[in-house]
Amino acid sequence: MIKAANSLKALYSKMVHVNCLAHAHHRVAETIRGKFNNVDGLVSNVKRVFLKAPSRLEIFKTEAFGISLPPVPIMTRWGTWLEAAFYYSDNFTSIQNSNFRCLPVNITKLESSGLTLLESIEVLNNTRETLKMANGKIGKEIYDKFQNVIKKNKRFKTLAQILKIHSDEVDTMEGIEEDLKVEDLAFFQICSNNIS
């Protein structure tokens, strides 16, 4: 997509291509999964226990009355592994808190259509602030990963500058590398997250 967007830039000089922000969140979620091997093992084992086993599902429903069945993470569905991990966090008393609950929620928000530029950047800032508060060495590594992923998304800086202009925080086009004029900025009110 990046190569295609760069090629299209020659034809559409005012086009601003930004890598999918939902995909950026997903990449961070995958890094989290890689840091918690024990949790990943738990999620995988429980998935295997209930797979094609209706009798086990009935026992679970009887023994754990009122608790929904464990979610089945699908690696191609962004954020589902974290949702499964949070399920276990919520249902095992030995696990108290999780720092990364915002990722699957914010992935879903970023995947929705019709999000304004302001709303998209607010979601991103919410993720940043939540991850910044994460504790310990792993928390810092995850926050650094998020910062790195966003930093590599070179055109995101352009959208952030456009939002500042929309919000009257700045009144200059400085920092916008694209061939845009002030009258072009109105087209950036809605931020499509379906393009990666």
Side-chain angles (χ1 to χ4, degrees):
M1 288 302 294
I2 293 170
K3 288 180 182 178
N6 287 338
S7 297
L8 287 172
K9 189 78 172 150
L11 300 171
Y12 302 99
S13 63
K14 296 181 183 194
M15 181 185 84
V16 176
H17 174 262
V18 176
N19 295 341
C20 176
L21 297 178
H23 188 241
H25 279 71
H26 170 67
R27 291 182 60 203
V28 174
E30 283 298 299
T31 300
I32 292 168
R33 179 175 168 236
K35 298 287 183 185
F36 293 93
N37 294 328
N38 290 339
V39 176
D40 192 33
L42 171 67
V43 170
S44 297
N45 287 332
V46 173
K47 181 179 175 181
R48 237 186 338 264
V49 164
F50 289 116
L51 188 65
K52 298 179 184 175
S55 60
R56 289 181 183 160
L57 290 173
E58 287 305 315
I59 292 170
F60 179 85
K61 288 177 185 176
T62 304
E63 297 294 323
F65 182 75
I67 297 176
S68 62
L69 291 171
V72 179
I74 302 164
M75 292 308 117
T76 56
R77 281 294 306 145
W78 296 348
T80 58
W81 183 89
L82 278 175
E83 289 172 345
F86 298 137
Y87 170 89
Y88 297 114
S89 174
D90 292 340
N91 292 293
F92 285 106
T93 56
S94 60
I95 302 171
Q96 296 296 316
N97 291 313
S98 179
N99 296 310
F100 311 114
R101 189 176 302 270
C102 68
L103 284 169
V105 172
N106 288 348
I107 286 171
T108 301
K109 287 179 184 175
L110 288 168
E111 288 176 330
S112 65
S113 61
L115 218 58
T116 66
L117 178 58
L118 173 63
E119 290 167 335
S120 294
I121 291 180
E122 282 177 347
V123 169
L124 186 92
N125 288 336
N126 171 270
T127 302
R128 177 182 286 119
E129 290 306 310
T130 303
L131 295 179
K132 191 175 185 179
M133 293 185 295
N135 298 322
K137 179 184 175 198
I138 291 174
K140 181 172 180 355
E141 288 176 11
I142 297 304
Y143 175 72
D144 290 345
K145 173 69 175 183
F146 177 80
Q147 291 290 82
N148 190 33
V149 168
I150 297 303
K151 185 178 179 181
K152 285 183 178 178
N153 196 341
K154 294 178 182 178
R155 299 298 180 233
F156 178 73
K157 185 177 176 183
T158 298
L159 288 183
Q161 184 68 12
I162 290 170
L163 178 63
K164 287 180 182 178
I165 293 169
H166 283 192
S167 306
D168 293 328
E169 288 181 42
V170 297
D171 59 0
T172 177
M173 296 285 287
E174 188 175 318
I176 297 178
E177 297 175 16
E178 282 69 24
D179 182 24
L180 297 173
K181 296 180 176 46
V182 173
E183 56 269 17
D184 297 325
L185 300 186
F187 297 110
F188 292 92
Q189 288 292 333
I190 300 296
C191 186
S192 173
N193 290 306
N194 297 322
I195 301 172
S196 57

